Amino acid sequence: MSNFDLLIRNGIVATAADTFQADVAIRDGRVVALGHDLGSADQGIDAAGKLVLPGGIEGHCHIEQISSSRVMTADDFYSGTVSAVFGGTTTVIPFAAQQKGDSLRQTVEDYHACAGAKAVIDYGFHLIISDPSEQVIGQELPALIKDGYTSFKVYMTYDDLRLDDYQMLEVLSAARRDGAMVMVHAENHDMIRWLSEKLLDAGHWLPQYHAISHSRAGEGEAAHRAIALSRLMDQPILVVHVSSEEAMDEIRLAQDKGLKIFAETCPQYLFLKAEDLKREGMDGAMFCCSPPPRDANDQEAMWRGLANGTFTVFSSDHAPYRYDDSGKLAAGPQPTFKQIANGVPGIELRLPLLFSEGVGKGRIDLNRFVALTATNVAKLYGVYPQKGTIAVGSDADIAIWDPDLEQTVEHAMLHDNVGYTPYTGIKLKGWPTTVLSRGRIVVIDNELRAERGSGQFLARAVSEASTPLNRLEPEMDPARNFGAELIGR
Ligand code: DUC
Ligand code: ZN
Ligand code: ZN
């Protein structure tokens, strides 16, 4: 009788902290030993010359979600999770997005009904809160947090989603009460609205004007304001999809002052540019996302922030819309930039892009790569150490990488349902070749082995990252003012 179900032999294991040669033994879906000469197993994988890394955790993706322009994403929970796992990701945390007037609980149940029978890897849900009514803040959120939905996203822009500052404070206060993480889409709504209206009035309707209407100044201002709201409430936040040096500098300044401000950037801000939105005809629509891609200076800034720790996590913000009348062109063959669904696909290429251009080109080391794509994500969202590392007791969610495999990106090699990739033509070195989810081989030799619906829902704990600093502003300090009543404790 063998000791283990599966043994990964002869590979180089890397975690967020260390890189070392070890075999990895797996039993009942978990890692049970790391070392040498561990014994026998029912099944073996020879990983000589390969890297054995924690499976990625995708902390920001939109799957089977309707956009604010009422367009359905091209990926459902099957194609979205299949695409993720081929790219070395073993857990996804997409959104359950509340529409105004809807119950959050019902929203969550609707998303479960979509995901349960389709997801091939484990999944959780963040909550998008577009309607922070008394019922939502007072009743639904506390119960949902207890049930494992321990993070929310709020928007400072988009007509149907945005919260005003008062509502943001309500959400931050609810998060503080129960220990949830708040993700913030930080862009100044009125700056976007004003610029868009003036551009359209002047006849500038092509996709390229999307980038102009979403200014760096508007992103920087909103990041600054979100940080001020977070400071007043003494409640940590994560500023998602940071695209500009200006917003990054606001975040860095706050972090330098000791505030718990976390930040995320995405492949589109490293590899795409506002220039791409100028492609011929409507082709620029394929690159329209918010915030938009910027320029070489901002790209360099994002790389700096990934290397120096300003960014905690690296996510795709996979928001997949086909380049046809079901997606980007749903409003007609020549939509104005305001009518184009915002978002780019990236769930499958997130890790290969960062590995090749980040680790391969010496911009970040392998341990930082693991931290940004798995370990920090697990810590931020309350699934560490079950997920996000390779350690005794952790789920055996593992991606085995061939660091020397070179391939040029084309959409035909991907598994999403989008029909194009904005990263076509980029030559990448280093790809995941075998992927395990809870000890099951789900991808090997370019083949999917997982069954539809074999992914499991992950109820998440509240994370250490979301606990307040207990550094109250004087106005909020119970010892000096009304703070106890104001912050509800
Ligand atoms: N912007 C968002 O805020 N969400 C989805 C995609 C995008 O571009
Ligand atoms: Zn967003
Ligand atoms: Zn998003």
Side-chain angles (χ1 to χ4, degrees):
M1 204 167 102
S2 348
N3 299 334
F4 308 114
D5 299 334
L6 178 66
L7 198 52
I8 304 171
R9 293 194 188 87
N10 308 318
I12 306 283
V13 177
T15 66
D18 298 302
T19 306
F20 52 96
Q21 177 134 37
D23 297 346
V24 182
I26 295 164
R27 194 187 313 121
D28 297 331
R30 300 238 171 102
V31 175
V32 289
L34 289 159
H36 299 284
D37 304 320
L38 294 174
S40 62
D42 293 346
Q43 214 183 347
I45 296 176
D46 182 11
K50 306 265 172 50
L51 298 171
V52 179
L53 308 183
I57 303 178
E58 174 59 89
H60 188 160
C61 53
H62 303 265
I63 301 180
E64 230 166 312
Q65 187 187 325
I66 295 178
S67 78
S68 53
S69 50
R70 322 293 317 155
V71 175
M72 183 49 116
T73 56
D75 283 315
D76 66 7
F77 280 89
Y78 184 69
S79 62
T81 55
V82 167
S83 184
V85 78
F86 272 98
T89 287
T90 49
T91 301
V92 292
I93 315 179
F95 298 93
Q98 181 198 30
Q99 309 282 334
K100 277 198 173 46
D102 286 358
S103 128
L104 257 184
R105 173 65 72 178
Q106 186 58 52
T107 302
V108 165
E109 281 171 15
D110 293 346
Y111 277 85
H112 271 291
C114 295
K118 296 181 202 156
V120 301
I121 51 174
D122 295 350
Y123 58 94
F125 291 110
H126 309 289
L127 309 173
I128 287 179
I129 302 176
S130 64
D131 193 356
S133 63
E134 263 181 53
Q135 166 75 9
V136 165
I137 296 289
Q139 315 291 323
E140 294 201 297
L141 279 181
L144 286 162
I145 293 168
K146 274 202 189 70
D147 290 348
Y149 308 90
T150 55
S151 45
F152 333 135
K153 183 176 179 193
V154 291
Y155 287 79
M156 298 171 83
T157 187
Y158 290 121
D159 288 326
D160 293 344
L161 295 171
R162 78 191 186 98
L163 305 189
D164 61 26
D165 294 350
Y166 182 95
Q167 292 172 311
M168 294 264 294
L169 287 169
E170 289 285 84
V171 171
L172 288 168
S173 155
R176 189 178 205 278
R177 184 184 57 206
D178 292 315
M181 175 53 66
V182 181
M183 310 159 75
V184 181
H185 180 128
E187 289 188 282
N188 180 304
H189 182 71
D190 282 319
M191 286 193 195
I192 295 168
R193 191 158 74 97
W194 191 89
L195 283 163
S196 302
E197 278 177 22
K198 303 302 165 203
L199 285 163
L200 289 173
D201 284 352
H204 301 309
W205 57 274
L206 285 166
Q208 67 194 76
Y209 297 103
H210 171 75
I212 294 172
S213 68
H214 287 248
S215 65
R216 294 174 177 82
E219 189 186 358
E221 184 282 329
H224 180 90
R225 185 155 36 98
I227 291 165
L229 299 171
S230 149
R231 207 180 87 198
L232 181 70
M233 201 54 69
D234 185 30
Q235 170 58 35
I237 56 168
L238 167 72
V239 183
V240 294
H241 47 49
V242 174
S243 71
S244 65
E245 182 175 32
E246 194 159 334
M248 188 183 84
D249 287 349
E250 294 287 351
I251 290 158
R252 187 72 191 187
L253 194 66
Q255 292 171 341
D256 287 347
K257 288 185 176 157
L259 296 173
K260 272 172 97 170
I261 304 296
F262 301 98
E264 168 197 88
T265 192
C266 315
Q268 49 271 41
Y269 308 121
L270 302 177
F271 294 91
L272 307 180
K273 292 188 179 154
E275 287 283 304
D276 289 312
L277 279 72
K278 294 186 179 163
R279 298 217 183 164
E280 209 178 320
M282 294 308 294
D283 287 5
M286 290 186 275
F287 301 83
C288 280
C289 57
S290 295
R294 309 278 184 193
D295 65 12
N297 177 64
D298 289 295
Q299 291 181 336
E300 272 317 302
M302 298 304 104
W303 280 114
R304 240 182 6 258
L306 287 168
N308 70 17
T310 306
F311 293 114
T312 319
V313 290
F314 183 73
S315 313
S316 71
D317 194 6
H318 183 71
Y321 302 104
R322 296 182 65 83
Y323 183 47
D324 62 24
D325 62 8
S326 72
K328 292 282 186 183
L329 306 179
Q334 296 209 309
T336 71
F337 67 86
K338 284 303 277 181
Q339 297 170 306
I340 297 169
N342 281 197
V344 291
I347 204 165
E348 189 163 345
L349 291 173
R350 172 181 73 118
L351 301 180
L353 285 164
L354 187 66
F355 185 90
S356 183
E357 286 295 307
V359 181
K361 301 266 170 81
R363 291 171 162 126
I364 55 171
D365 68 20
L366 186 58
N367 309 107
R368 181 115 193 94
F369 171 82
V370 172
L372 284 162
T373 57
T375 315
N376 290 356
V377 195
K379 289 182 176 172
L380 200 59
Y381 297 130
V383 291
Y384 183 84
Q386 180 189 351
K387 305 285 190 192
T389 192
I390 298 178
V392 170
S394 296
D395 284 357
D397 287 3
I398 292 173
I400 301 175
W401 286 67
D402 179 347
D404 299 317
L405 179 61
E406 290 187 60
Q407 297 185 101
T408 300
V409 173
E410 50 178 318
H411 185 260
M413 67 172 56
L414 303 178
H415 301 80
D416 59 41
N417 192 27
V418 186
Y420 76 90
T421 168
Y423 305 106
T424 299
I426 302 181
K427 193 169 171 187
L428 299 179
K429 185 173 176 190
W431 292 82
T433 50
T434 302
V435 184
L436 274 59
S437 159
R438 278 180 283 104
R440 309 169 292 153
I441 296 176
V442 287
V443 169
I444 191 163
D445 297 333
N446 242 334
E447 201 183 287
L448 181 72
R449 296 269 185 91
E451 296 295 314
R452 263 175 186 268
S454 57
Q456 290 179 358
F457 171 64
L458 260 182
R460 295 176 290 115
V462 296
S463 74
E464 170 61 31
S466 55
T467 54
L469 283 170
N470 275 321
R471 207 172 91 178
L472 292 166
E473 295 287 294
E475 297 80 2
M476 301 293 273
D477 186 342
R480 292 193 247 183
N481 278 301
F482 309 105
E485 290 155 46
L486 296 180
I487 62 174
R489 48 177 216 139

